[in-house]
Structures are given as C-alpha cells and as structure tokens.
Amino acid sequence: MTPGLRRLYVPRSAKVDANRAGEPTSVDGVAVEAVREQWVVEDRWWTPQPLGRRYFELALADGRNLVVFRSTLSGCWYQQRG
Amino acid sequence: MAAGPPYVELHAHSAFSFLDGASTPAELASAAAKLGYPAFALTDHDGVWGSMELVDACRGLGVKAITGTELTLRIGPAGGAVGGTAPEDALATGGGGGSPAATGPAGEYAHLTLLVQDAIGYRNLCRLLTAAHSHTRDSSQRSAGQPSVTLEQVEEHADGLVCLSGCAGQGMLTAAWERGDAAAGAEAARRLLGAFGRDRFRIELQRPYWRRDRSRNRWLAGLAERLGIPAVATGNVHSHGGKWRTRLQNAFVAVRLGMTLEESEALRRGNSSSALDSPQEMADRFAEHPDAVAETLRLAERLEFDLNRELGYRYPREGEPGVDRKLAELCRALLAERYAGSVHRRKAETDLEDELKTIRALGLSGFFLLHHDLLVLAREVADEVRGRDSARSILPPGRGRGSSVSSIVCYLTGLSHIDPVANDLNSSRFLNEEVGKQAGTMPDIDLDFPRDIREVLIPRVHERYGADHSALVAAFPTYRPRGAVRDLGKALGLPQEEIEKVAKMVGFHERGGEIEKDVLAAIGPERAATKRWRVLLRLCPEAMGLPRHASQHSGGMVISTRPLIDVCPVVPAAMAGRQIVQWDKDSCNDAGFLKIDLLGLGMLSAVERCVEEVGETRRESLDLSRIPFDDAETFRSIRAAETTGVFQIERRAQMSMLPRTRPENLDDLTVQVALVRPGPIQGGAVHPYIERLKRRREDPEGFEIPYEHPLLKDVLEYTLGTIVFQEQVIEVATALAGFSAAQADSLRRAMSRKRSAEAIQGHHDRFIAGALERGVPVATAERVWEQIRGFSGFGFPKAHSAAFGLLAYQSAWLRVHRPQEFLCALLNEQPMGFYPPDALVHEAQRREVRLAGPDANRSRVLCHVEWIEAELTVRIGLGYVKGVRKEEMEGLVAERERSGDYAGIADLASRCGAGRDGLERLAWAGALDALVKSVRFEDLPALPERADTQNASLASEAPVRTRSAGPSLGGRREALWEAGGAGTGVRHGEDVQMALPLEPPRAPELEPLDEWERAIADYRSIGMTLDEHPMALMRADLDAAILRSTELEEAENGGIVEVAGMVVARQRPETANGIVFMLLEDERGTVNLVVPPPVYERCRAAVRAASLVQARGKLERHEGTTNVVVSEVIELERPQSPIRRDEKMPMKRGIGQTPPKSPRRRVRERAMAELRAVAPAGHSFGRRR
C-alpha cells in the first residue's frame, strides 16, 4: 500500500432519509435518534477518482451506532464501518 | 433594527505562514470586506510578516485590522505536563474522518493564538517572536529550524496580549485532549489563565469538520465554564476562498512536508473548511456555541491597537540637540573645499541653503548626519578590506544611486559622487517639504558598495548600533512558474524527469496559458492531458506571486534608537552575522522606518578589481574619477555597440539601440541608461526619442521638439519631449495638471509599489480635470496620461541614471584601454552581468585578448593577468575548476608560493594534500597538463616570471603551456593516468593527511584528446572553452548555406539567410508583444534572432530550451543593427537533420538521401549530445539557466 494512504474500508449502499439540512433522519427504515458527529472529507481531487463525502456518526433508535456518508459527487448514501 | 455581522474572524493565516496559507493579506482583507466582516485578525505562524500589508490593505475597506500570531510553544517530550503533537499546524487533520494529529514527531510543540490589545502587547509580541526565532539558525548549515518559545517565556510577556488557547489540532489544550490526557489540557489552561487573567485568556473553539469536532468542543466549552471564562469561536482560515485556492493550500502542506499529496493525506486538513466563510456561515457552523460566536465581536471591539500609529520608532540622531547646526556646519565646510574656485560655487551655495532649509523643516538633519556617520564607518571598512597601499585605496568606499544623487547635501557628505550642480540635477523628488510632511516617509538613500566591502560593512553596522537596534529588511521570494512547476509537480507525484523538462522550459514571467503550452511542448499532448498535469496547470496560476519563504533584502537596513525588537520582530538570516526584521521594504516604509540601502553592485566590485589588477600588472595607479570622460575610442565602441561586459549597456536591447542613439557624451549615456527600461518603453518614449534624435542630428538648426503641449517645454526639453526619467512624471503632472508636490509624489509612489495598480488609475480623474483647467484639450491630456500610466512599469530617476551612466562609461573605458584586466575582473566577479563567462571569453578573444587555461604551476585561485611572451594574458584561476574544494586550491597555491613549482603530479599530491577527486578534476580541466611525466617539468624551459611593463619585452621567449597562447604539451589523459596512480591526501575532518611522494608509473602512450573531447572537457570542467569555438568544430558538417555571423554583413538586406550557433541569451520582454529575442554565438561573433509569436509557438521547444540551434529567416539591417527575423528554428542536433521535413532545404552536407552513419558521424553525434549537456548557461528568460 502506498505510504500515507489510509485504508477506508469498503462502503455499502444504504437507504437514508434526510432532512432539509441534509442530516439523516432514518437509515434502512430505522429512525435516527441523534447525530453524534458530522465531518467532511474532500480529497483525491488530483486523481481521476476524487473523493467528496459528508459523514455522520449516528445513534439509531434500535440502539446501534452507525457511520453513514453521502457522496457529494454522486448524491448516493453509503454505510461504513465506524 | 438591522443586526450587524454576527462573527469576526480572529484566527487566519495568509501565505506569510509560508506554505501554510494560500492567500495574500490583501486578498484576505478584500474578501473579508466583501463578506461584511467589520474586523479581521491575521495570525500567521510565528510572525507578523504580513501584518503591515494587512493594515495597508484594510485601510479604506472599512475593516479593522487586528495584529496577532499563532505562536509555537516548545513543551518538552511526549507525555509531558502539556502535550502536543507536531510542529506543523497542518498536522491537524481529519482526512478520511480520522482523528487529528494522528501522526508526527509527537509531543514537542503546541500552538497558542495571540492577539495584540495595546502597544505593550505589541512590544511583548515582538519580543516573543524574536525569541522564538533566535535559535532557528543554530545548525552548522544555518538551515531554518522550527521557531518556538517556552511557556515560561509566554508567561513573562503576557501583558497587553489576548491569548486564545490554540487550534483544533495542535492547540495547547486540544493536543492533550486528543492524546487522552484531558487533565494535562486543563492544567495548561489554568496556567495560561494565571498568566493572562480572566480578561485576556479565552478557550478557542474550532469546527474544521473533523470527526471529533463536537466532542472536543463540548469538552473545551465545559472547561471554559469551569474556569469561569468565555470560549471564543475561530475559523483557522488558510485561504480567502475559491476551490482551487483551497486545493493549493492542501498542496502547499505536501510541499512543506516534502511529501506527495498521497503521502501527506493523514497530515492535511482533508476538506475545504479552512476557506474564509461569511460571518453568518461561521455563526451557523458554531450553532451549538452561540456565546463563543458573540465573544468574537466583544474581543474584536477591545483590540484597539493600531500598527500604523503606535510603533514609537525613532532612528539614531533623530531629534538630537543641535543637529541642524551640526549638519549645516559640516556641509558649508565641505562646500568651501569642494567648490573652491569653481564656477558653480554660487549656485552650489544657494542650493545648499535651500536644501538645508527643507531638511530643517522636515526634521531630517539627524537623518543625514546618521548617513554621514555610516559613510565614515564604510570608509574605515574599505581601508581594512582594500588595504591602505592597494591601488583601490584612492577610490571612495561606495557611491550613491537613486534620487539621492541629486542632493547637494549627499554630494558634500560623500553619499553621492555626482556633482548635482554641474549636472543640473533636481533634488525635488528626493527632498520635498510638502511631501515629507504629508506622507511622513523618509527620503531614500541607496548606496552601492563593492561586494567585498559590503560583506564586512553590514555586520559592522550591527556592531556599531547594536544587534538589538539594527537589522536587514526582509524580502519574500514569491512563486514563479519554474518553482511552482517543480514544487507542485512533486506534490502531485509527477515523474521527476517530466517535471524537469517542463521546468527548464517555462519562463520567469509566464502566466497560466503559457505554462500549458510549455507542458505540451515538453511532454507531448498525451501526457499533458492526464489528470495530474491538468491539475498542475490549474494550481500554478493560483500559486503565482505568493511568498514561499522569507529571505533578506539585497541590502536594505533599518536602524532604530529604541530596540528594534520592540517595534518589529528580528530573526536570524541564513547568512551568518546577519539578521532581518520581519517586514519587507514596503512594510518598513509604511511603518516609517528609516531604511538605508547598502547594496552590493557587481560592476563596482569588478571595476575595483580591475583597478587593482592594473596596479599589479602595469604598475599603474588608476584613478577612475580622472580618466578622460570624452575619450573618442570609448565612445566609438559604445556607438558601435561593442559593449559586451560594460555596465548596463551590454544587454541585447541596449546594444541594438546604441547605433541609433549614438551617444557622444556622459549626458547622452545618462539618457541611454534610462531609456531602455519598462517605463519609457511602455510609456511610448523610446521610438519618438530616437526619431527626434535623428532628426536633430540631420537638421540641428531647423529641428523643433514636437511637445504634446507647450506647458511641457520646460520639463521635457532634455529628453526631446518624451518622458524618460521618473521625476519627469511628477514634473509633467505638476506642469500640465497642476498637481501639488504631494499629489505628484503620491502618483510616483503608486507607480513604484508592487501592490497598487488601481491606485495609479485613481489619479486619472484628477489629472484630466487639472489639465482641462489649464486649457489643455482633453485628448491631449488623455494622451499624456497614457504616457504616464505606461511609465508605471519602472523607470530610473535622472540622478540614478547619471550615476549608472558614469559607471557604464568607466567600465567601457576599461574595456577599451585595459581589456585584459577588465575581462579578468569580470571573470572573477561572476555571476554578474548579462553574459556567461564563456561568451565573455569568446568576445574578448575576438578582440585578440589572450587567455591561458588553468595551470597548477601558474594559476592562482582567482583569474589573474600575467605576461606571457611579452603579452598580457588572462590566466584562468583554479577556482574556476568545477567541483574542487576552494580550500584545497588555496592550499595548492600557497604551497607553491612557499616552496616553489610542482615538479610533477606526485610532487603536487604529496605537497598540497589535494584529494583524488580534486586531482582528477584538475586533470580534466587541463591544469595538470604541464606536470605529466611524459613531458617532465624540468625538461621544459623555465616559464617566464611575471614581468612589469619595463621588462615585458624580455619576459620570455619560452614555449607556453597554454592552449590559446601556444601549443599544448603533455595531455589530459596522461595527467589523469598519473593522478590515478599518485598517492593523495586523505581528509580527516578539517585536517589532511599528506600522501607520500610515490612516483606513479609512467603513463603508456595515450591518444591525446581530440578537439571535440577537449571542448567538452573544458565545458564540463571550467564552463568555457578557450580553444576552438564549438561552432568552428561543427562547421565542416554544416551546410555551406549556413552563414557565419560576420558573413551576414555581406548578405543582402531583406534576403533569406540561415544561421546557427550556441544560444547565449533568450528573452521575451513583457513590453515586446510576445516576440522572443535570441542571441546566438558562433566562431566569429553573435547573431540577433527575432522570433515572431507564431514561429515561437511552432518552434517552442527549440526556442526555449535548446542550447545549440539553427535558424532560417529574413535579414533585416537597420541603422547599424542587424537582425534575422526567423521563420524556422530547430535544435542543432544530428548533422543530417533537415530544418523541415516537408521542405527541400538542405541545411547540412549530404542532404538528399540520408547517408548511412559512418563511425565518425556516430562519434560526432555523441559529442554533440555531450556538448548540449554541458553547454554553458546562458541568459534565459529573465535569469541565468
């Protein structure tokens, strides 16, 4: 692996509903209890595979903690291991 | 009621954080104003480099500039009481959603944000920053280290400063929290609270959109609450906005860390949140902490310090009792001496009293006395450096340049060497009561010194006035295309070979579109279309003009009565014994600092060396102030443009002008020096001036100067109705538009500053209105304004031109009458001037100046002049041999002078301690030719002793071991053989263990280097060849149609010609509408090529980068100047390559069917390739390659 690169795990598609501010309200039908953290990654813009992601660390109503992100390039939602 | 902006930015970095900020202070100020910020704080890393620029930019924008810094603290090893992470703020990242400060040399540094509240706080900030940098050049190489202070030092200097607890990634508190040691963070907060108190310590919250922002900020807010102090929100801004500027900031981080963008992923910010957002967006970003947002406004309100008004700077002797009287007495006494019996005495007395009156009114008597003191110091230094018995000792220690040359006070006190009365110079630009009082700025005094005197003088000034009271002015090298391509290309991970190909091709002043063409020409369209190269082309224009690092100004010095470290931080410079303030010359000027320019002028050094060499070789004491200033032969050579090596008028553009302007006296030279400058060129003065000169020459009686308006007669008569000198701008604005002196000076200043293009235009309306009031037609006023606006590029004051014109004449006189010593001096002062040594040498050889190559038994370290066969000959010094250690060569020469000539290579190796590498380099350079055993030294007739003029004719009939001056004995191959077999010195640190004088085996019979091999060895080892010019060696392989430079004189004007040569210079002046000028050199002389833009585009690679070219074009001969306006340029490559494949135009012998390559041809091709690799660096697009 190229030095300095961080393994990003393989994201899975997720069905996410979001409010007008773009924050998730439910993931795969499970309601979001709280948005614990929110961060943004915009990188690799110098490569043919640029990265633009808005991440959310969520507490779900079923008690799970989950990290999802929305690709700012495709508009699709993904779930990622926290 | 309309609410004001909810937020003020209190933490921002400009490009003066050096590779951790991607906008200038002016860009930040302008963006802040547009976004509605009422105040804005600049907090660059460990410095206030850009603070004055921010103040300057904020003025008039309605934004209050707040001065501050982000200070680095040294807090001990990891796990100490207050932890930290790495020295780079940029290590604070959340790339990929990870935690900030994940890597780096853990636990040594942390950041605090300091903002200035009052004058005491500013003084403390300056002292802290000075302390932070004090150890940064302690390494043996004096490479820049990390500035830092201890927490104790901060505690001692807390008064008057507001402290914010630091950034999200590496702040004093957050770094500890990230490490999981919240207790240490809280302890640090208590300590800072103790130092700064509740009023001046704030917990800093940031929201960079990293993964743990919310939890970190909750912890920080909780800590603030427990301590009973407010938290404050900040943005940690690193650019003023725009996608590509934000990306540039990311790339800068990689550049600073010496990594690629991939490698530095974990150390970068990872998103664009560091761009400046609007106050509302920032308030929204901190929605969970509204009090922290409100606190920004409260703090900004309190930070009242105004950098412009509260510095308290004074210079030595300022306001000293009796200074007016002392200066007047000094000047009157000197006037009586200087003008005794002069026809100018009465005028001089009147001028002096006028100037003294102005000086008194401006309170500047102390200023002039200080300069006089400095000159006395310089004289002491000059005596020391030159030696009292030296031929140079009669020369003044330095000489003035710039507008100060027009002042009679400067002339009398020795600051200038030009008599302003005899030369009719006007000191109003230099000294003006109205201007001085309004602007509160100091007059400029620039002094030129020979380099060796300046080197000693600068540290001596530090000693005289105290290290805390004097320092050099800073300079900020900014990104230019080549550096941007190299730095950013590396960060993007582009192949090094490609980067270098492009970097060698790009020009100094190029813009984005031009760089793209270079990339295409250098690496082809396929590679240029790849994503990373496309990105580079977007980043490069963004980087242009941003400061990359701090450096020292060429000689600007500030001196202060009050310790300088109380008014501006002082930091060590890269050169030992020197220190710089954190402001450049514009900022120092804005701060009202007295700046003295102690400049090193290469030509002044060369002229002095020449005088010294003349004293040694001819036993002649030459006083350059007493040489005839109307020497016919000197002016003939100037008019014929035989000025290679002559100060100022050696450049190609000057040379092409000289046969047309035909200078006949020093006055003409004064105009000549000023004429070929961007100001007169862009102002449209050059061609009218030359045309009018010609008309006046042809009809001296009937010629009348066609002024734009009769009001301009008095001010433009000297320059035939054109604006050539800088002060003429002031005079024209005054005469035609009624500008007051202050208004006109404001216009001049606007033109001379790099950051005020808009300011010039601001004078336009006033100029037109003023002209109309005086009855000037609007069209005329607009035409004259265009000349003024055009002039804003750059121009010389007349006084400066007079000083430079005189030096141009003196150097031309030396070139004509003492050619050997003059060439020798130029070679010893390199790098300087327009031509590389190789071109200087060839030009001198064409004038029959004799040269001799380096020789271990004859050469000194520097070049010198000696008598050989009754002829003065320039001997190349051993210091010219590339790669040798200077101290080894000094040792070699000292041993020879102590114990006699070397008898052979083994003898040399055993006596002087040169290492094998040094011996081999000397052998390649031919410096050991005469020592090879196959031609034993003792078998040679005695070499001539250096002779004086009396016994020169008896000097020697001996054979000469020089290449240009006689047959070469011995051979480099044998020398190399013997050098390989000789025992050599072994270096142990500073000591050298001498070799035993073991006789190496006699070399077998080796084939001597042929002429090509010798030329290549010469270029490789000494950067020049004294033997056959490479074009002479190549001539046999060139088509007969390719003319030699001298043959152009016989060619038909307007005809198509072909030429070829080595490229000595290539230029693309901004004033020439895209035309490129190339200067080629062949074995007979030089050829000027004019490359029109379409040809340049088509032949870009050859024009920009080839060291040997052939060209075809139309010959244009006009008023003594010959140019070839080319239609085709190609790299002179293989002997059979045609200039264009689609045209039947054989450039080479054998064209038609490509002949099979003969072994000889293959050898020749290889030689050509090697020659191209080692060809000397010419003047290439603004700088020596």
Side-chain angles (χ1 to χ4, degrees), chain B residues 162-419:
Chain B
V162 168
C163 174
L164 315 186
S165 62
C167 54
Q170 210 190 339
M172 279 286 281
L173 319 185
T174 52
W177 180 80
E178 280 292 343
R179 211 176 50 243
D181 193 357
E187 178 52 33
R190 282 191 197 91
R191 229 175 125 174
L192 290 168
L193 178 61
F196 289 91
R198 287 184 194 287
D199 279 351
R200 291 183 293 108
F201 178 55
R202 297 288 178 267
I203 302 291
E204 188 170 1
L205 308 187
Q206 292 184 348
R207 179 77 170 103
Y209 288 107
W210 296 337
R211 182 161 187 179
R212 301 177 67 187
D213 280 358
R214 278 184 172 167
S215 40
R216 184 184 58 250
N217 282 342
R218 280 180 200 141
W219 174 73
L220 286 168
L223 181 61
E225 202 174 326
R226 286 199 297 283
L227 295 174
I229 55 171
V232 63
T234 68
N236 204 6
V237 168
H238 282 73
S239 75
H240 72 288
K243 181 167 78 176
W244 285 99
R245 201 57 81 90
T246 313
R247 290 176 172 180
L248 179 67
Q249 160 61 19
N250 266 269
F252 274 172
V253 174
V255 172
R256 185 161 43 85
L257 298 173
M259 295 176 173
T260 62
L261 278 157
E262 272 92 352
E263 287 165 344
S264 61
E265 186 194 352
L267 310 176
R268 288 183 284 103
R269 289 188 172 73
N271 61 44
S272 57
S273 67
S274 65
L276 183 65
D277 267 343
S278 71
Q280 189 55 54
E281 282 167 319
M282 289 306 291
D284 293 346
R285 201 188 280 195
F286 289 96
E288 288 180 41
H289 304 280
D291 287 347
V293 174
E295 182 62 16
T296 62
L297 299 174
R298 288 192 288 270
L299 269 185
E301 188 81 11
R302 273 174 46 195
L303 301 173
E304 283 294 334
F305 175 72
D306 184 344
L307 196 53
N308 245 350
R309 285 185 295 141
E310 300 178 55
L311 281 178
Y313 167 83
R314 287 164 69 88
Y315 57 84
R317 305 201 75 163
E318 183 179 3
E320 183 184 296
V323 278
D324 291 340
R325 182 182 44 78
K326 285 178 199 165
L327 180 68
E329 283 173 4
L330 178 71
C331 290
R332 284 170 193 147
L334 289 166
L335 186 143
E337 215 174 280
R338 286 276 181 102
Y339 288 91
S342 164
V343 291
H344 299 301
R345 176 160 183 159
R346 188 168 296 275
K347 173 86 167 50
E349 283 172 345
T350 314
D351 285 359
L352 175 63
E353 293 310 318
D354 285 350
E355 262 189 39
L356 287 172
K357 183 167 161 270
T358 308
I359 288 169
R360 275 195 301 274
L362 293 171
L364 288 175
S365 295
F367 169 92
F368 285 95
L369 285 172
L370 171 65
H371 278 80
H372 182 63
D373 294 348
L374 277 172
L375 209 74
V376 171
L377 183 65
R379 197 172 296 279
E380 286 170 27
V381 169
D383 285 346
E384 219 174 275
V385 170
R386 293 164 170 163
R388 285 183 187 280
D389 300 329
S390 146
R392 295 164 66 193
S393 62
I394 53 172
L395 299 171
R399 52 173 80 183
R401 71 153 83 170
S403 55
S404 65
V405 177
S406 61
S407 154
I408 190 165
V409 170
C410 287
Y411 177 60
L412 293 172
T413 52
L415 294 167
S416 145
H417 60 298
I418 305 280
D419 181 345

Side-chain angles (χ1 to χ4, degrees), chain B residues 10-26 28 40-54 66-72 89 111-115 125 129 133 147 236-239 249 476 547 582-583:
Chain B
L10 294 175
H11 187 142
H13 295 266
S14 73
F16 287 101
S17 281
F18 305 119
L19 299 177
D20 197 21
S23 298
T24 62
L28 288 167
F40 187 84
L42 189 65
T43 54
D44 280 315
H45 286 298
D46 303 304
V48 291
W49 313 93
S51 295
M52 193 57 89
E53 197 175 322
L54 182 81
I66 297 170
T67 303
T69 192
E70 182 166 18
L71 186 66
T72 305
D89 179 54
H111 291 164
L112 281 180
T113 312
L114 298 179
L115 302 169
L125 185 76
L129 290 172
H133 285 265
N236 204 6
V237 168
H238 282 73
S239 75
Q249 160 61 19
F476 303 116
Q582 284 195 338
W583 287 338

